[in-house]
Amino acid sequence: IYLLTAFTATLAQARVIESNRYADVLEYMNANTLFVTDLDNTVMQPVQTLGSDQWGSAQMAEFEKKGFAKEQSTLLGIGMFSLVQHFTKVETVETDTSSIIQKIAELGATQIGLTARHVLLTDRTLKQLNTLGVHFNGKDRFPPNSEFKNVAHFQDGVVFVGTKNKGETLKAF
């Protein structure tokens, strides 16, 4: 599901629109729009099951079944997911995703990606997006914020929240 948040400049109110297709959001884009999209299973996905978001979650659950504490299972799962990402090729979820994201920028909207990926995957994630021709212009429109850096990592238009809550992190951003 894609989230689109349109902010009116004078009232600072937000309107959230959810859709199952990128093309559906184009009619809402203008210079006062903030387009926020998840990455895994929304913008991109591995070309195979290994390295998918579902695979990573299953690995964490498997560690818990084997007796590891939840925190340990999470760390082990993140480690395995991160390692596999360095060898995983990705594709866009929809064939026209990269062209629609480009069109959103041309319409003047600000775009950012939002992901639960760990900060250790920043460079690899940005390389994966680059291979797909996906770039977010939010990198040019949001100045670095030292307070935000304590909550999550923001680089090249993508917010990396790790194990934190995406909604709360987005509010902090």
Side-chain angles (χ1 to χ4, degrees):
I1 303 245
Y2 316 120
L3 292 178
L4 162 72
T5 307
F7 291 96
T8 57
T10 56
L11 300 175
Q13 295 177 339
R15 184 171 128 194
V16 176
I17 300 150
E18 295 183 28
S19 174
N20 290 321
R21 292 185 49 238
Y22 265 97
D24 293 344
V25 302
L26 288 173
E27 68 182 279
Y28 301 101
M29 296 297 125
N30 62 51
N32 294 319
T33 306
L34 173 62
F35 176 78
V36 179
T37 185
D38 189 33
L39 298 184
D40 288 305
N41 297 326
T42 304
V43 171
M44 64 181 176
Q45 62 190 8
V47 296
Q48 74 284 323
T49 303
L50 181 68
S52 69
D53 200 34
Q54 300 89 329
W55 175 84
S57 296
Q59 295 303 304
M60 289 181 209
E62 195 61 35
F63 285 123
E64 278 192 67
K65 283 183 190 173
K66 291 182 179 179
F68 289 93
K70 185 162 182 72
E71 294 94 16
Q72 291 173 317
S73 297
T74 299
L75 290 173
L76 288 167
I78 289 170
M80 287 183 63
F81 181 84
S82 298
L83 177 64
V84 168
Q85 290 309 307
H86 289 282
F87 303 97
T88 299
K89 292 183 181 180
V90 293
E91 62 189 3
T92 55
V93 174
E94 296 179 37
T95 57
D96 56 352
T97 299
S98 59
S99 62
I100 291 171
I101 289 174
Q102 177 61 37
K103 179 71 172 168
I104 290 169
E106 291 169 6
L107 293 169
T110 299
Q111 328 139 301
I112 60 173
L114 182 66
T115 183
R117 289 181 174 212
H118 193 276
V119 68
L120 294 174
L121 278 174
T122 299
D123 290 338
R124 179 60 184 156
T125 301
L126 296 173
K127 285 178 184 174
Q128 287 174 323
L129 289 169
N130 192 46
T131 65
L132 302 174
V134 174
H135 308 281
F136 298 105
N137 65 9
K139 67 182 178 193
D140 303 324
R141 302 190 181 182
F142 289 103
N145 181 330
S146 59
E147 280 185 43
F148 183 71
K149 288 180 182 177
N150 293 328
V151 176
H153 180 70
F154 178 67
Q155 187 171 331
D156 289 345
V158 179
V159 179
F160 294 84
V161 304
T163 57
K164 295 183 175 80
N165 179 284
K166 287 182 185 175
E168 293 301 316
T169 302
L170 186 58
K171 285 181 197 176
F173 183 71

